[in-house]
Structure formats: C-alpha cells, structure tokens
Amino acid sequence: MSRSLEEQTLALAGVFQAAELVQQIAHRGQCAPSTFETCIHSLFVTNPPNTLSVYGELRDLREGLAVLCGLLKKQDGQQDVEILRYALNLLHLEARLRKRPEMMDIIGSRIDQARHTADHFGYSHANLVNNLASIYTDTISTFRLRIQVTGDPNQLQVPENAARVRALLLAGIRSAVLWRQLGGRRWHLVVFRKRVVEVAQRLSEQANQAVFH
C-alpha cells in the first residue's frame, strides 16, 4: 500500500501544482517558468517507466507537494481555498471525462499532434501553449461543470495568461487521470488524509533537499 500511496501522492501533487500555478497567473500574471514547464511536459509523457518520470525529478514537484501538504492540513487563507477548489474540480472533471472515451481519444490525438511543436520550440512557447489551450477549450470546457478562475481581471484578460491557465488546467486533468490510474479515489482524501499528508511531507522534504544539493 505504501508504494502505491507514494505514487498516488506524486500524481496528486501534479494536480495541486497545476492548480497553484493557475492561481498565481490569475492573480499576478506570472509563475516560475521551470514549474510551468514541468506541468506542460507531463502532458507528453504517455508511456512512463514510473510515476515520477512523468514530471522529471522530485524537485520538479516541490511546489505541488508543499501546497498539497498545506491544504490537507487545513491551513486557512482565501488563495489556499481557490487552489483547493481548482484541484477538486480537476478531479471531478476527470471523472466526467472518464465517461467520455471518445473525448479522451480526441485529447490524446491532439496532444500527440502538438508533440512536434513541443520538441522544436520547448514547453513554454506561445504556439504550444495556445495549441494546448485550444484543446482544453474544445473538449473539457464543453462540460456543464466549468472551472471558474478568479483573480485580477487585468491579468485574466491578457490572452497569453488565459492560454497559460487553460494549458495548465489540461495538465491538471492529465495528473488527475494518472492519479485515478494509480488507484486514487476522491474519498481517499478524507479517509486517508493523514497518511497522504505524511507521505507528501516526506516527499516534500526530499524534494527540498534535492534542490540544495
């Protein structure tokens, strides 16, 4: 159980990392470029040898692990509530998407088509981000449940920011799919919350040590 719980926690950290970056862009119009690229890169890792390789190294998930830990410990704060809402909505949308295999096929096909752009220009290039944003708009955004992103209207009205938010939400869905494939269930966040926090805390400490070595 501990091994699968660790892998589930990594995927869950991917969901929360995407949600955190959405919140940062919505309020400030910026986020750490390397963390953004980690999220976007995860969309293109379709046959990983293990869960961590979807994201790179443990240090690449340190923001997601930290925010997951803090939120499950029920730390208060308006922006924390926003991140939690985004993350839970992503898990909910994944459940909806699972019932639409034809839509999952479309998303997979279009991400595969975007791979050429990613390989040539990198994971933060505007062409790729706009492409991924359009995939999200054409598929996930058609569900009745839509994620309402709140923040600074001046930031959200910038087309580049809106595209980055949608691309990150798509990446968040990818991590939610992975979490589900690894056996993650929403009720685990209630029943096993303490254990998830313990694993996230340990992984977060390891990630921080990796940064300073």
Side-chain angles (χ1 to χ4, degrees):
M1 178 64 182
S2 60
R3 180 62 187 166
S4 63
L5 184 61
E6 179 173 301
E7 296 204 336
Q8 289 169 21
T9 303
L10 289 170
L12 199 56
V15 175
F16 277 78
Q17 184 155 293
E20 182 192 27
L21 297 193
V22 165
Q23 186 266 332
Q24 289 176 4
I25 291 171
H27 283 269
R28 304 200 303 266
Q30 59 187 11
C31 64
S34 61
T35 313
F36 178 82
E37 289 194 6
T38 294
C39 291
I40 300 305
H41 172 258
S42 71
L43 284 162
F44 296 93
V45 185
T46 49
N47 291 298
N50 54 60
T51 303
L52 184 57
S53 64
V54 173
Y55 305 101
E57 299 178 29
L58 196 56
R59 64 183 179 185
D60 297 316
L61 270 180
R62 66 187 184 278
E63 286 194 46
L65 287 164
V67 76
L68 170 62
C69 228
L71 287 171
L72 291 188
K73 283 180 178 176
K74 295 192 174 178
Q75 293 176 353
D76 292 324
Q78 179 59 39
Q79 293 185 354
D80 286 347
V81 171
E82 286 177 6
I83 296 170
L84 183 60
R85 176 168 59 82
Y86 297 151
L88 293 178
N89 281 344
L90 286 167
L91 297 181
H92 191 70
L93 283 169
E94 182 277 332
R96 297 281 181 91
L97 181 60
R98 197 164 9 97
K99 297 173 183 175
R100 298 280 301 276
E102 77 288 351
M103 185 179 285
M104 289 194 77
D105 288 344
I106 291 168
I107 292 171
S109 174
R110 289 183 60 179
I111 287 174
D112 204 46
Q113 290 168 18
R115 193 181 299 275
H116 181 76
T117 305
D119 290 343
H120 276 74
F121 298 108
Y123 296 104
S124 57
H125 194 276
N127 287 359
L128 178 65
V129 173
N130 288 333
N131 194 335
L132 296 173
S134 72
I135 296 173
Y136 183 86
T137 300
D138 295 343
T139 56
I140 308 296
S141 279
T142 63
F143 287 130
R144 185 174 297 175
L145 170 70
R146 299 178 69 174
I147 297 180
Q148 300 296 323
V149 176
T150 52
D152 180 349
N154 293 323
Q155 299 293 353
L156 290 169
Q157 286 165 10
V158 176
E160 179 189 355
N161 290 343
R164 287 193 294 165
V165 162
R166 292 188 181 102
L168 284 167
L169 291 174
L170 188 65
I173 293 282
R174 190 271 181 270
S175 286
V177 168
L178 180 61
W179 179 69
R180 164 74 61 167
Q181 290 172 337
L182 292 165
R185 301 294 181 267
R186 280 179 290 172
W187 57 268
H188 289 179
L189 298 179
V190 177
V191 177
F192 299 136
R193 184 171 63 87
K194 186 177 179 182
R195 291 171 66 185
V196 173
V197 167
E198 288 170 355
V199 174
Q201 185 87 53
R202 174 171 56 78
L203 292 172
S204 181
E205 289 168 1
Q206 291 175 12
N208 287 327
Q209 287 171 1
V211 171
F212 296 111
H213 280 79

